Amino acid sequence: MTFFAAAVLGAILGSFINALSFRYNTGRSIVRGRSRCMHCGHTLEARDLVPIFSYLCLRGHCRLCGTHISAQYPLVEVAAAALSLGVYILYPTPLYYTIFLLVWLVILFIVVYDLRHTVIPWPSSGLLALLAFASLFLFGVPTLPALLAGPLLALPLFLLSLVSAGRWMGWGDSAFELSLGWLLGATAGLSALALAVWSGALVGVMLMSLSKWCTPLGIRSTGAAKKSFFLSLTGFTMNSEIPFAPFLALGAALVFFFHVDFLSTLSALW
């Protein structure tokens, strides 16, 4: 039952993250005001707001106007439920669970917002940094390498942003990596960063291949086609912008939840 409760709590918090990602920096209150359909303005009822299940029962459409509801809603809620359950399995102690759950919920918000707007809000980066730094003291007084892990891992991304004036790497990514370094430590954090770079490069190559494959078929990502996520990827080139925060989060999740720390393994073998 505790596992189920952790998953339900995560799904509920994931619903809040959805609202936050849509309302942040729009002038709308984050915590006040009833949720409405973005198309017809219909005020949603309680039965329309049950995480995951409401979307399934409504078959992804508004009850009143029939407009398609973004798949972001159930996907984020499922992701938050999985994160909450994963954190509880690793750290069932209330204090540890609370701190690390907050860390991963902020990371989830950063990923969602970066995917939507290709920018990482500085308040979320600051909050994540505070939480990650506080997590260093959960297991005693942190060592000097643990304290330096964040700045050292963030330095390469910061230099890329500095040299390119933010064109090669967004400024928010180095702030994000600062927190991940404190969260994971030096070797594990470096493994996560390597996984992020490799997965990002792989996706980039796949997107460029998709673009080359679609061009002979006459598929273009111009005009109305840009409204389609799939078609918006068909014009991807070396100069296209791709959010890096999701890849940083993916690498961190593999290390944190599944202990994919190949650098520590290689060090032990050596």
Side-chain angles (χ1 to χ4, degrees):
M1 289 299 295
T2 53
F3 291 160
F4 178 74
V8 170
L9 175 61
I12 294 172
L13 294 174
S15 182
F16 173 76
I17 290 175
N18 271 321
L20 182 62
S21 69
F22 281 108
R23 295 186 184 188
Y24 180 79
N25 207 28
T26 63
R28 296 180 60 190
S29 173
I30 295 174
V31 296
R32 290 181 296 180
R34 297 283 300 276
S35 297
R36 301 175 181 272
C37 172
M38 292 186 179
H39 181 74
C40 67
H42 168 67
T43 300
L44 302 182
E45 303 175 16
R47 58 178 175 169
D48 300 324
L49 299 173
V50 180
I52 303 172
F53 292 101
S54 290
Y55 184 89
L56 296 176
C57 291
L58 293 171
R59 297 181 180 180
H61 293 84
C62 173
R63 186 185 302 276
L64 185 65
C65 67
T67 301
H68 175 69
I69 302 172
S70 173
Q72 172 187 320
Y73 288 98
L75 290 176
V76 171
E77 290 162 358
V78 169
L83 289 173
S84 178
L85 180 58
V87 170
Y88 182 77
I89 291 174
L90 290 176
Y91 299 103
T93 305
L95 177 60
Y96 291 2
Y97 170 74
T98 300
I99 294 294
F100 287 120
L101 177 60
L102 289 175
V103 165
W104 280 101
L105 289 177
V106 176
I107 289 175
L108 180 60
F109 168 75
I110 288 175
V111 169
V112 172
Y113 201 86
D114 196 30
L115 284 171
R116 288 183 57 83
H117 304 286
T118 64
V119 65
I120 299 176
W122 285 108
S124 61
S125 297
L127 176 59
L128 182 60
L130 288 175
L131 290 171
F133 189 76
S135 71
L136 292 174
F137 296 86
L138 290 177
F139 306 102
V141 179
T143 62
L144 182 60
L147 293 172
L148 293 178
L152 290 177
L153 289 174
L155 182 60
L157 304 188
F158 174 77
L159 292 177
L160 283 174
S161 301
L162 184 64
V163 171
S164 65
R167 293 191 301 272
W168 299 345
M169 183 69 63
W171 294 100
D173 293 315
S174 56
F176 188 21
E177 182 59 28
L178 172 70
S179 301
L180 296 181
W182 281 333
L183 177 67
L184 302 173
T187 57
L190 188 57
S191 293
L193 181 57
L195 290 169
V197 172
W198 294 342
S199 59
L202 177 61
V203 170
V205 170
M206 292 173 61
L207 291 179
M208 285 189 291
S209 299
L210 176 64
S211 177
K212 293 180 180 179
W213 174 75
C214 290
T215 300
L217 298 179
I219 300 176
R220 293 284 189 271
S221 59
T222 58
K226 289 185 177 179
K227 296 180 181 179
S228 166
F229 175 73
F230 174 76
L231 292 179
S232 68
L233 300 178
T234 61
F236 188 87
T237 67
M238 285 292 291
N239 296 322
S240 298
E241 184 177 2
I242 182 171
F244 192 49
F247 300 105
L248 290 173
L250 173 62
L254 290 173
V255 170
F256 185 88
F257 291 106
F258 301 101
H259 309 293
V260 183
D261 186 4
F262 55 85
L263 289 179
S264 291
T265 303
L266 291 175
S267 176
L269 292 175
W270 182 263

